[in-house]
Amino acid sequence: MSTRKISMDSLCVKEYKDQRSTRPHQLPIYATSSFEFDSMEEGIEIFTGKKSGHVYGRYGNPTIDTVSQKLADLEAYGTGLNAYGFLTSSGMSAISTIVLSLLKNGDTILTQGDLYGGTTEVFVKVIANSGIKTLFTDLTDLDATEQILLSNRTVKLLYLETPANPTMRCIDILQISRLAQKYGVYTCVDNTFCTPIIQQPLSHGIDFVIHSTTKYLNGHGNSIAGVIIGHDEKIKKQIWTTLKLLGTTCNPWDAWLINNGLKTLSVRMQRHCENAMSVAQYLETHPAILKVNYNGLPSHPHHDIAKRQMKAFGGMLSFEINGQLSKVIQILNKLKFCSMAPTLGDVDTLVLHPATSSHLNVDKARRETNGISDGLVRLSVGIEDVRDIIQDLEQALR
Ligand SMILES: *Cc1c(COP(=O)(O)O)cnc(C)c1O
């Protein structure tokens, strides 16, 4: 029987392989949910891990893996560690995936009270349902933290965020990692506010770093994703298993957007830091401002800790307007240049009013004891000409 050419109907269906091109100069987006094998033997080798290769998009993809490794290399830069990275579908899924990889029913997370709101919520409303408890304490109080580790042997993870939102309180990363090592407890730092350009927790002995790459790492406000970075090879397999089974993998399009953002991360961060310092100094002398929370100001209570563990002071700050809520709202409504958007780390300057947004559900007394008054405003200082940012604040405060 002579073989017939495939029909026109089938030709529509068939994928045309492009093997004619020279190598792409820039990372392509691999929009494919699965990968082909040349032979059964090759398939078996890849499935059994004898040969590296991709199988199915939820398990990994060349675009995603390339960006994950770049982020791991940045976090581990200069430490001599062989770090790995896993890109996730969001910062939140990076957090749930690492916690569910490390902890089990009966274990406890020890953390601070002023975490990113979503993190507190996922710990107490979702992770708690798996029998994993969360204990909140003041991690700047090392004696109190050690007392808890001494008396509660169910603590398996010390989870921290420094500087914390929106008061920029800092936790001493080196001291916490030493304590954790003494008691055999894992450590994880949410490094979203700093990026590895400013702070490298792995260099202070931390086990895992997570990010919402949605913020500075992408930098352009056009993707939602996260990353988990570690260097413990034994745990790597467990994280991969959790990730692929929960399906919290990132998608190649968002990975590609992060890749674009990373090219300018270093220059962006430098400009964010310079601009934030100028804005902080301007606000500190303004008569309508009661207080400025910026790690770069010697007046910040944690300026010294920040100087020890941060290479620069970042682009985030908050300040307290002297006045009632109605006056604060009136002032913020006058801003024309700065945008009102509930995110951070974009190239443009963003304003957020914690009392009426991120901290809306925290009762007023508790809010105020944590330094979050009705007058407190958070600023994610952008990379524009700083004179335009200050001019806008000036006219609004007038
Ligand atoms: C935004 C943010 C998260 C959550 O990240 P998503 O990408 O929104 O899921 C976690 N931690 C910090 C510090 C954040 O700013």
Side-chain angles (χ1 to χ4, degrees):
M1 200 174 83
S2 67
T3 45
R4 188 179 50 80
K5 275 196 174 159
I6 65 169
S7 74
M8 200 172 173
D9 293 352
S10 297
L11 190 58
C12 288
V13 177
K14 207 71 194 145
E15 175 79 354
Y16 263 34
K17 309 284 178 196
D18 176 16
Q19 265 126 18
R20 297 156 300 176
S21 179
T22 40
R23 274 183 293 128
H25 173 51
Q26 295 292 320
L27 181 67
I29 302 174
Y30 284 82
T32 180
S33 51
S34 71
F35 298 83
E36 291 183 5
F37 311 125
D38 285 337
S39 64
M40 281 300 294
E41 287 76 11
E42 188 189 33
I44 291 168
E45 287 195 335
I46 292 176
F47 261 105
T48 53
K50 287 203 190 94
K51 182 174 173 181
S52 68
H54 291 93
V55 175
Y56 186 62
R58 180 156 44 76
Y59 300 9
N61 160 301
T63 313
I64 297 167
D65 295 356
T66 305
V67 181
S68 309
Q69 193 54 53
K70 186 168 188 175
L71 286 169
D73 290 346
L74 284 167
E75 277 294 351
Y77 191 85
T79 63
L81 295 167
N82 239 333
Y84 51 80
F86 291 102
L87 275 187
T88 57
S89 57
S90 66
M92 288 312 301
S93 69
I95 296 164
S96 60
T97 303
I98 186 68
V99 167
L100 293 173
S101 299
L102 298 173
L103 276 63
K104 59 177 188 325
N105 182 13
D107 292 341
T108 301
I109 304 165
L110 182 58
T111 190
Q112 69 210 62
D114 51 356
L115 287 174
Y116 176 73
T119 310
T120 304
E121 279 194 67
V122 76
F123 285 172
V124 304
K125 292 185 181 167
V126 180
I127 302 279
N129 297 336
S130 311
I132 298 166
K133 288 201 200 68
T134 302
L135 267 181
F136 296 94
T137 191
D138 179 359
L139 295 179
T140 64
D141 185 342
L142 292 167
D143 290 334
T145 304
E146 180 154 20
Q147 278 309 314
I148 295 172
L149 293 173
L150 251 176
S151 61
N152 186 340
R153 290 311 176 108
T154 70
V155 175
K156 291 283 152 61
L157 172 66
L158 255 162
Y159 183 94
L160 51 148
E161 222 173 84
T162 175
N165 184 29
T167 53
M168 306 299 135
R169 283 164 55 82
C170 292
I171 294 165
D172 191 319
I173 300 175
L174 182 64
Q175 297 300 332
I176 286 288
S177 86
R178 283 190 180 146
L179 260 188
Q181 275 159 18
K182 185 171 165 189
Y183 292 92
V185 169
Y186 291 120
T187 44
C188 181
V189 170
D190 181 337
N191 205 26
T192 301
F193 270 39
C194 285
T195 83
I197 301 299
I198 290 182
Q199 176 171 279
Q200 291 174 273
L202 299 184
S203 75
H204 302 292
I206 293 294
D207 300 315
F208 300 97
V209 169
I210 69 99
H211 280 275
S212 166
T213 64
T214 311
K215 316 294 166 54
Y216 286 107
L217 295 176
N218 169 274
H220 298 75
N222 51 18
S223 82
I224 297 265
V227 69
I228 302 169
I229 292 152
H231 54 88
D232 183 331
E233 283 297 321
K234 285 197 302 288
I235 306 293
K236 183 180 178 183
K237 185 97 190 289
Q238 186 56 36
I239 299 172
W240 184 70
T241 303
T242 312
L243 188 82
K244 76 173 190 188
L245 295 176
L246 289 179
T248 44
T249 326
C250 183
N251 68 80
W253 169 247
D254 282 342
W256 184 84
L257 288 168
I258 298 164
N259 194 53
N260 280 350
L262 287 182
K263 307 271 172 82
T264 55
L265 179 65
S266 173
V267 286
R268 279 191 285 114
M269 291 317 291
Q270 193 184 336
R271 182 69 167 251
H272 278 299
C273 293
E274 285 166 13
N275 282 0
M277 181 62 100
S278 300
V279 171
Q281 284 167 342
Y282 159 74
L283 289 169
E284 202 170 40
T285 59
H286 198 289
I289 304 300
L290 290 173
K291 187 179 170 190
V292 180
N293 299 309
Y294 183 59
N295 291 132
L297 295 176
S299 61
H300 192 280
H302 294 156
H303 178 61
D304 286 336
I305 303 181
K307 259 201 312 205
R308 279 204 298 279
Q309 64 194 22
M310 293 163 71
K311 287 175 262 182
F313 301 107
M316 298 300 300
L317 62 87
S318 63
F319 58 95
E320 207 172 329
I321 298 174
N322 187 7
Q324 301 287 314
L325 181 61
S326 57
K327 185 178 161 195
V328 175
I329 289 174
Q330 204 185 351
I331 290 170
L332 295 183
N333 272 333
K334 280 200 219 146
L335 290 170
K336 295 190 196 97
F337 183 76
C338 307
S339 308
M340 251 177 259
T343 185
L344 64 102
D346 288 1
V347 285
D348 57 333
T349 300
L350 307 171
V351 184
L352 180 126
H353 183 240
T356 57
S357 61
S358 56
H359 291 69
L360 186 65
N361 295 326
V362 182
D363 74 67
K364 194 170 168 169
R366 182 150 164 233
R367 240 199 308 118
E368 284 180 344
T369 48
N370 285 320
I372 304 159
S373 66
D374 284 348
L376 194 76
V377 176
R378 187 186 82 178
L379 214 56
S380 170
V381 181
I383 63 169
E384 308 96 331
D385 186 326
V386 75
R387 290 171 303 180
D388 292 319
I389 305 169
I390 291 174
Q391 181 170 278
D392 196 31
L393 290 167
E394 176 81 42
Q395 63 81 20
L397 287 165
R398 201 176 292 141

